[in-house]
mmCIF file of all heavy atoms in Angstrom:
data_model
loop_
_atom_site.group_PDB
_atom_site.id
_atom_site.type_symbol
_atom_site.label_atom_id
_atom_site.label_comp_id
_atom_site.label_asym_id
_atom_site.label_seq_id
_atom_site.Cartn_x
_atom_site.Cartn_y
_atom_site.Cartn_z
ATOM 1 N N THR A 972 67.906 -169.903 -57.937
ATOM 2 C CA THR A 972 69.109 -169.085 -57.772
ATOM 3 C C THR A 972 70.290 -169.629 -58.546
ATOM 4 O O THR A 972 71.218 -168.894 -59.025
ATOM 5 C CB THR A 972 69.470 -168.975 -56.281
ATOM 6 O OG1 THR A 972 68.446 -168.385 -55.606
ATOM 7 C CG2 THR A 972 70.720 -168.280 -56.090
ATOM 8 N N PHE A 973 70.391 -170.958 -58.802
ATOM 9 C CA PHE A 973 71.632 -171.600 -59.432
ATOM 10 C C PHE A 973 71.403 -171.819 -61.004
ATOM 11 O O PHE A 973 72.395 -172.329 -61.411
ATOM 12 C CB PHE A 973 72.031 -172.691 -58.561
ATOM 13 C CG PHE A 973 72.290 -172.476 -57.067
ATOM 14 C CD1 PHE A 973 71.175 -172.819 -56.216
ATOM 15 C CD2 PHE A 973 73.319 -171.924 -56.652
ATOM 16 C CE1 PHE A 973 71.378 -172.465 -54.827
ATOM 17 C CE2 PHE A 973 73.585 -171.638 -55.324
ATOM 18 C CZ PHE A 973 72.579 -171.983 -54.441
ATOM 19 N N GLY A 974 70.271 -171.505 -61.542
ATOM 20 C CA GLY A 974 70.202 -171.742 -62.837
ATOM 21 C C GLY A 974 69.548 -173.046 -63.202
ATOM 22 O O GLY A 974 69.165 -173.838 -62.329
ATOM 23 N N HIS A 975 69.620 -173.425 -64.398
ATOM 24 C CA HIS A 975 69.194 -174.727 -64.937
ATOM 25 C C HIS A 975 69.758 -175.261 -66.175
ATOM 26 O O HIS A 975 70.242 -174.516 -67.007
ATOM 27 C CB HIS A 975 67.510 -174.498 -65.132
ATOM 28 C CG HIS A 975 66.835 -175.831 -65.367
ATOM 29 N ND1 HIS A 975 66.784 -176.917 -64.487
ATOM 30 C CD2 HIS A 975 66.126 -176.208 -66.480
ATOM 31 C CE1 HIS A 975 66.065 -177.880 -65.034
ATOM 32 N NE2 HIS A 975 65.700 -177.444 -66.146
ATOM 33 N N SER A 976 69.762 -176.606 -66.344
ATOM 34 C CA SER A 976 70.278 -177.179 -67.575
ATOM 35 C C SER A 976 69.303 -178.246 -68.053
ATOM 36 O O SER A 976 68.537 -178.787 -67.230
ATOM 37 C CB SER A 976 71.602 -177.791 -67.217
ATOM 38 O OG SER A 976 72.632 -177.064 -66.850
ATOM 39 N N ALA A 977 69.329 -178.340 -69.331
ATOM 40 C CA ALA A 977 68.512 -179.357 -70.054
ATOM 41 C C ALA A 977 68.940 -179.627 -71.434
ATOM 42 O O ALA A 977 69.896 -179.017 -72.001
ATOM 43 C CB ALA A 977 67.004 -178.830 -70.156
ATOM 44 N N PHE A 978 68.344 -180.793 -71.985
ATOM 45 C CA PHE A 978 68.799 -181.078 -73.358
ATOM 46 C C PHE A 978 67.739 -180.574 -74.315
ATOM 47 O O PHE A 978 66.428 -180.515 -73.931
ATOM 48 C CB PHE A 978 68.721 -182.642 -73.525
ATOM 49 C CG PHE A 978 69.940 -183.406 -73.027
ATOM 50 C CD1 PHE A 978 69.983 -184.149 -71.993
ATOM 51 C CD2 PHE A 978 71.171 -183.136 -73.767
ATOM 52 C CE1 PHE A 978 71.121 -184.675 -71.574
ATOM 53 C CE2 PHE A 978 72.414 -183.741 -73.277
ATOM 54 C CZ PHE A 978 72.299 -184.517 -72.124
ATOM 55 N N ARG A 979 68.026 -180.073 -75.458
ATOM 56 C CA ARG A 979 66.987 -179.675 -76.489
ATOM 57 C C ARG A 979 67.191 -180.663 -77.731
ATOM 58 O O ARG A 979 68.308 -180.884 -78.192
ATOM 59 C CB ARG A 979 67.127 -178.255 -76.884
ATOM 60 C CG ARG A 979 66.175 -177.839 -77.897
ATOM 61 C CD ARG A 979 66.395 -176.463 -78.391
ATOM 62 N NE ARG A 979 65.329 -175.887 -79.315
ATOM 63 C CZ ARG A 979 65.442 -174.810 -79.893
ATOM 64 N NH1 ARG A 979 66.482 -173.931 -79.745
ATOM 65 N NH2 ARG A 979 64.394 -174.430 -80.705
ATOM 66 N N PHE A 980 66.193 -181.227 -78.166
ATOM 67 C CA PHE A 980 66.110 -182.080 -79.461
ATOM 68 C C PHE A 980 65.292 -181.364 -80.391
ATOM 69 O O PHE A 980 64.135 -181.167 -80.338
ATOM 70 C CB PHE A 980 65.621 -183.445 -79.097
ATOM 71 C CG PHE A 980 65.644 -184.227 -80.481
ATOM 72 C CD1 PHE A 980 66.756 -184.667 -81.126
ATOM 73 C CD2 PHE A 980 64.332 -184.740 -80.980
ATOM 74 C CE1 PHE A 980 66.675 -185.439 -82.180
ATOM 75 C CE2 PHE A 980 64.368 -185.457 -82.087
ATOM 76 C CZ PHE A 980 65.488 -185.776 -82.720
ATOM 77 N N ARG A 981 65.884 -180.964 -81.559
ATOM 78 C CA ARG A 981 65.198 -180.269 -82.631
ATOM 79 C C ARG A 981 65.329 -181.030 -84.014
ATOM 80 O O ARG A 981 66.431 -181.380 -84.380
ATOM 81 C CB ARG A 981 65.722 -178.817 -82.708
ATOM 82 C CG ARG A 981 64.867 -177.930 -83.780
ATOM 83 C CD ARG A 981 65.288 -176.494 -83.563
ATOM 84 N NE ARG A 981 64.664 -175.566 -84.441
ATOM 85 C CZ ARG A 981 65.045 -175.249 -85.605
ATOM 86 N NH1 ARG A 981 66.294 -175.668 -86.004
ATOM 87 N NH2 ARG A 981 64.267 -174.447 -86.446
ATOM 88 N N ASP A 982 64.217 -181.309 -84.567
ATOM 89 C CA ASP A 982 64.240 -182.124 -85.852
ATOM 90 C C ASP A 982 63.230 -181.218 -86.882
ATOM 91 O O ASP A 982 61.962 -181.562 -86.808
ATOM 92 C CB ASP A 982 63.764 -183.429 -85.696
ATOM 93 C CG ASP A 982 64.071 -184.416 -86.962
ATOM 94 O OD1 ASP A 982 64.362 -183.774 -87.978
ATOM 95 O OD2 ASP A 982 64.189 -185.564 -86.866
ATOM 96 N N PRO A 983 63.733 -180.247 -87.533
ATOM 97 C CA PRO A 983 62.843 -179.351 -88.314
ATOM 98 C C PRO A 983 61.839 -180.137 -89.371
ATOM 99 O O PRO A 983 60.794 -179.796 -89.568
ATOM 100 C CB PRO A 983 63.723 -178.434 -88.988
ATOM 101 C CG PRO A 983 64.895 -178.358 -88.182
ATOM 102 C CD PRO A 983 65.117 -179.810 -87.619
ATOM 103 N N SER A 984 62.555 -181.276 -89.937
ATOM 104 C CA SER A 984 61.797 -181.840 -90.991
ATOM 105 C C SER A 984 60.537 -182.612 -90.546
ATOM 106 O O SER A 984 59.657 -182.910 -91.248
ATOM 107 C CB SER A 984 62.640 -182.822 -91.681
ATOM 108 O OG SER A 984 63.062 -183.788 -90.895
ATOM 109 N N ARG A 985 60.618 -182.873 -89.170
ATOM 110 C CA ARG A 985 59.428 -183.535 -88.538
ATOM 111 C C ARG A 985 58.643 -182.668 -87.641
ATOM 112 O O ARG A 985 57.762 -183.190 -86.921
ATOM 113 C CB ARG A 985 59.986 -184.758 -87.837
ATOM 114 C CG ARG A 985 60.717 -185.814 -88.831
ATOM 115 C CD ARG A 985 61.048 -187.011 -88.136
ATOM 116 N NE ARG A 985 61.582 -188.042 -89.227
ATOM 117 C CZ ARG A 985 62.027 -189.227 -88.807
ATOM 118 N NH1 ARG A 985 61.937 -189.668 -87.669
ATOM 119 N NH2 ARG A 985 62.507 -189.944 -89.812
ATOM 120 N N GLY A 986 58.959 -181.414 -87.569
ATOM 121 C CA GLY A 986 58.216 -180.603 -86.688
ATOM 122 C C GLY A 986 58.411 -180.865 -85.265
ATOM 123 O O GLY A 986 57.568 -180.513 -84.386
ATOM 124 N N ILE A 987 59.594 -181.327 -84.772
ATOM 125 C CA ILE A 987 59.817 -181.662 -83.453
ATOM 126 C C ILE A 987 60.809 -180.626 -82.687
ATOM 127 O O ILE A 987 61.768 -180.213 -83.419
ATOM 128 C CB ILE A 987 60.515 -183.095 -83.378
ATOM 129 C CG1 ILE A 987 59.500 -184.170 -83.782
ATOM 130 C CG2 ILE A 987 60.981 -183.386 -81.916
ATOM 131 C CD1 ILE A 987 60.063 -185.586 -83.872
ATOM 132 N N ASP A 988 60.394 -180.251 -81.574
ATOM 133 C CA ASP A 988 61.292 -179.221 -80.926
ATOM 134 C C ASP A 988 60.981 -179.541 -79.309
ATOM 135 O O ASP A 988 60.035 -178.919 -78.886
ATOM 136 C CB ASP A 988 61.077 -177.826 -81.281
ATOM 137 C CG ASP A 988 62.092 -176.877 -80.791
ATOM 138 O OD1 ASP A 988 63.101 -177.380 -80.040
ATOM 139 O OD2 ASP A 988 62.063 -175.721 -81.088
ATOM 140 N N TRP A 989 61.664 -180.395 -78.815
ATOM 141 C CA TRP A 989 61.484 -180.890 -77.503
ATOM 142 C C TRP A 989 62.563 -180.512 -76.551
ATOM 143 O O TRP A 989 63.674 -180.324 -76.944
ATOM 144 C CB TRP A 989 61.333 -182.461 -77.388
ATOM 145 C CG TRP A 989 60.110 -182.959 -78.210
ATOM 146 C CD1 TRP A 989 58.922 -182.302 -78.346
ATOM 147 C CD2 TRP A 989 59.926 -184.217 -78.775
ATOM 148 N NE1 TRP A 989 58.112 -183.188 -79.008
ATOM 149 C CE2 TRP A 989 58.736 -184.244 -79.403
ATOM 150 C CE3 TRP A 989 60.822 -185.395 -78.839
ATOM 151 C CZ2 TRP A 989 58.228 -185.441 -79.876
ATOM 152 C CZ3 TRP A 989 60.380 -186.429 -79.577
ATOM 153 C CH2 TRP A 989 59.137 -186.391 -80.048
ATOM 154 N N VAL A 990 62.267 -180.410 -75.241
ATOM 155 C CA VAL A 990 63.308 -180.313 -74.102
ATOM 156 C C VAL A 990 63.083 -181.437 -73.299
ATOM 157 O O VAL A 990 61.977 -181.767 -72.847
ATOM 158 C CB VAL A 990 62.973 -178.985 -73.360
ATOM 159 C CG1 VAL A 990 63.851 -178.997 -72.099
ATOM 160 C CG2 VAL A 990 63.316 -177.803 -74.156
ATOM 161 N N TYR A 991 64.183 -182.102 -72.901
ATOM 162 C CA TYR A 991 64.311 -183.230 -71.992
ATOM 163 C C TYR A 991 64.921 -182.642 -70.709
ATOM 164 O O TYR A 991 66.063 -182.122 -70.699
ATOM 165 C CB TYR A 991 65.177 -184.342 -72.484
ATOM 166 C CG TYR A 991 64.592 -185.177 -73.685
ATOM 167 C CD1 TYR A 991 64.820 -184.612 -74.908
ATOM 168 C CD2 TYR A 991 63.745 -186.182 -73.423
ATOM 169 C CE1 TYR A 991 64.325 -185.422 -75.988
ATOM 170 C CE2 TYR A 991 63.252 -186.884 -74.546
ATOM 171 C CZ TYR A 991 63.530 -186.461 -75.852
ATOM 172 O OH TYR A 991 63.030 -187.176 -76.836
ATOM 173 N N ASN A 992 64.085 -182.567 -69.680
ATOM 174 C CA ASN A 992 64.346 -181.786 -68.414
ATOM 175 C C ASN A 992 64.367 -182.820 -67.191
ATOM 176 O O ASN A 992 63.366 -183.320 -66.849
ATOM 177 C CB ASN A 992 63.289 -180.675 -68.267
ATOM 178 C CG ASN A 992 63.430 -179.868 -67.089
ATOM 179 O OD1 ASN A 992 64.390 -179.846 -66.332
ATOM 180 N ND2 ASN A 992 62.402 -179.058 -66.902
ATOM 181 N N TYR A 993 65.575 -182.785 -66.558
ATOM 182 C CA TYR A 993 65.755 -183.688 -65.480
ATOM 183 C C TYR A 993 65.443 -182.915 -64.146
ATOM 184 O O TYR A 993 65.575 -183.423 -63.116
ATOM 185 C CB TYR A 993 67.160 -184.221 -65.358
ATOM 186 C CG TYR A 993 67.494 -185.411 -66.224
ATOM 187 C CD1 TYR A 993 67.946 -185.215 -67.526
ATOM 188 C CD2 TYR A 993 67.092 -186.595 -65.843
ATOM 189 C CE1 TYR A 993 68.195 -186.367 -68.267
ATOM 190 C CE2 TYR A 993 67.334 -187.759 -66.544
ATOM 191 C CZ TYR A 993 67.862 -187.604 -67.848
ATOM 192 O OH TYR A 993 68.108 -188.796 -68.631
ATOM 193 N N GLY A 994 64.886 -181.700 -64.211
ATOM 194 C CA GLY A 994 64.619 -180.913 -63.088
ATOM 195 C C GLY A 994 63.179 -180.769 -62.589
ATOM 196 O O GLY A 994 62.734 -179.794 -61.958
ATOM 197 N N THR A 995 62.351 -181.734 -62.964
ATOM 198 C CA THR A 995 60.941 -181.734 -62.558
ATOM 199 C C THR A 995 60.640 -182.670 -61.345
ATOM 200 O O THR A 995 61.167 -183.582 -61.188
ATOM 201 C CB THR A 995 60.114 -182.097 -63.758
ATOM 202 O OG1 THR A 995 60.452 -183.433 -64.288
ATOM 203 C CG2 THR A 995 60.206 -181.082 -64.916
ATOM 204 N N PHE A 996 59.592 -182.161 -60.652
ATOM 205 C CA PHE A 996 59.060 -182.866 -59.485
ATOM 206 C C PHE A 996 57.579 -182.467 -59.432
ATOM 207 O O PHE A 996 57.008 -181.566 -59.995
ATOM 208 C CB PHE A 996 59.855 -182.659 -58.329
ATOM 209 C CG PHE A 996 60.029 -181.124 -57.901
ATOM 210 C CD1 PHE A 996 58.935 -180.463 -57.265
ATOM 211 C CD2 PHE A 996 61.108 -180.448 -58.238
ATOM 212 C CE1 PHE A 996 59.024 -179.119 -56.900
ATOM 213 C CE2 PHE A 996 61.249 -179.142 -57.878
ATOM 214 C CZ PHE A 996 60.301 -178.464 -57.294
ATOM 215 N N ASP A 997 56.859 -183.424 -58.605
ATOM 216 C CA ASP A 997 55.435 -183.206 -58.516
ATOM 217 C C ASP A 997 54.929 -182.693 -57.255
ATOM 218 O O ASP A 997 55.300 -183.109 -56.238
ATOM 219 C CB ASP A 997 54.756 -184.671 -58.564
ATOM 220 C CG ASP A 997 53.229 -184.647 -58.663
ATOM 221 O OD1 ASP A 997 52.652 -183.482 -58.669
ATOM 222 O OD2 ASP A 997 52.721 -185.654 -58.476
ATOM 223 N N PHE A 998 54.464 -181.353 -57.249
ATOM 224 C CA PHE A 998 54.103 -180.702 -56.095
ATOM 225 C C PHE A 998 52.895 -181.404 -55.322
ATOM 226 O O PHE A 998 52.687 -181.242 -54.216
ATOM 227 C CB PHE A 998 53.650 -179.211 -56.354
ATOM 228 C CG PHE A 998 54.764 -178.196 -56.458
ATOM 229 C CD1 PHE A 998 55.121 -177.711 -57.695
ATOM 230 C CD2 PHE A 998 55.365 -177.715 -55.345
ATOM 231 C CE1 PHE A 998 56.211 -176.747 -57.781
ATOM 232 C CE2 PHE A 998 56.455 -176.845 -55.566
ATOM 233 C CZ PHE A 998 56.753 -176.450 -56.565
ATOM 234 N N ASP A 999 52.180 -182.301 -56.161
ATOM 235 C CA ASP A 999 50.986 -182.909 -55.618
ATOM 236 C C ASP A 999 51.448 -184.329 -55.042
ATOM 237 O O ASP A 999 50.465 -185.075 -54.553
ATOM 238 C CB ASP A 999 49.912 -183.133 -56.749
ATOM 239 C CG ASP A 999 49.358 -181.611 -57.158
ATOM 240 O OD1 ASP A 999 49.235 -180.910 -56.239
ATOM 241 O OD2 ASP A 999 49.115 -181.626 -58.371
ATOM 242 N N ALA A 1000 52.710 -184.601 -55.017
ATOM 243 C CA ALA A 1000 53.006 -185.906 -54.553
ATOM 244 C C ALA A 1000 52.824 -186.109 -52.925
ATOM 245 O O ALA A 1000 52.815 -184.987 -52.243
ATOM 246 C CB ALA A 1000 54.644 -186.128 -54.706
ATOM 247 N N PRO A 1001 52.300 -187.157 -52.510
ATOM 248 C CA PRO A 1001 51.962 -187.276 -51.091
ATOM 249 C C PRO A 1001 53.133 -187.038 -50.184
ATOM 250 O O PRO A 1001 54.227 -187.276 -50.534
ATOM 251 C CB PRO A 1001 51.646 -188.835 -51.026
ATOM 252 C CG PRO A 1001 51.365 -189.282 -52.441
ATOM 253 C CD PRO A 1001 52.156 -188.474 -53.298
ATOM 254 N N ASN A 1002 52.837 -186.142 -49.139
ATOM 255 C CA ASN A 1002 53.753 -185.827 -48.164
ATOM 256 C C ASN A 1002 54.898 -185.087 -48.752
ATOM 257 O O ASN A 1002 56.072 -185.322 -48.516
ATOM 258 C CB ASN A 1002 54.352 -187.037 -47.349
ATOM 259 C CG ASN A 1002 53.285 -187.758 -46.675
ATOM 260 O OD1 ASN A 1002 52.390 -187.234 -46.001
ATOM 261 N ND2 ASN A 1002 53.261 -189.068 -46.812
ATOM 262 N N PHE A 1003 54.456 -184.199 -49.730
ATOM 263 C CA PHE A 1003 55.581 -183.486 -50.547
ATOM 264 C C PHE A 1003 56.717 -182.812 -49.522
ATOM 265 O O PHE A 1003 57.860 -182.959 -49.966
ATOM 266 C CB PHE A 1003 54.860 -182.469 -51.449
ATOM 267 C CG PHE A 1003 55.812 -181.548 -52.141
ATOM 268 C CD1 PHE A 1003 56.413 -181.935 -53.384
ATOM 269 C CD2 PHE A 1003 56.218 -180.302 -51.639
ATOM 270 C CE1 PHE A 1003 57.365 -181.179 -54.119
ATOM 271 C CE2 PHE A 1003 57.041 -179.415 -52.442
ATOM 272 C CZ PHE A 1003 57.713 -179.904 -53.491
ATOM 273 N N TYR A 1004 56.266 -181.944 -48.743
ATOM 274 C CA TYR A 1004 57.087 -181.264 -48.001
ATOM 275 C C TYR A 1004 57.952 -181.993 -47.005
ATOM 276 O O TYR A 1004 59.073 -181.807 -46.766
ATOM 277 C CB TYR A 1004 56.365 -180.042 -47.176
ATOM 278 C CG TYR A 1004 55.887 -178.990 -47.988
ATOM 279 C CD1 TYR A 1004 54.441 -178.997 -48.317
ATOM 280 C CD2 TYR A 1004 56.672 -178.098 -48.558
ATOM 281 C CE1 TYR A 1004 53.984 -178.003 -49.078
ATOM 282 C CE2 TYR A 1004 56.157 -177.177 -49.523
ATOM 283 C CZ TYR A 1004 54.822 -177.042 -49.755
ATOM 284 O OH TYR A 1004 54.402 -176.097 -50.534
#
């Protein structure tokens, strides 16, 4: 609902186009809920 923010790093000469995303978590983590 509140949107999302991330960093994008793009280096065309090296074929790099990455996103660094601080909003990830593991659904399979023990005792997730």
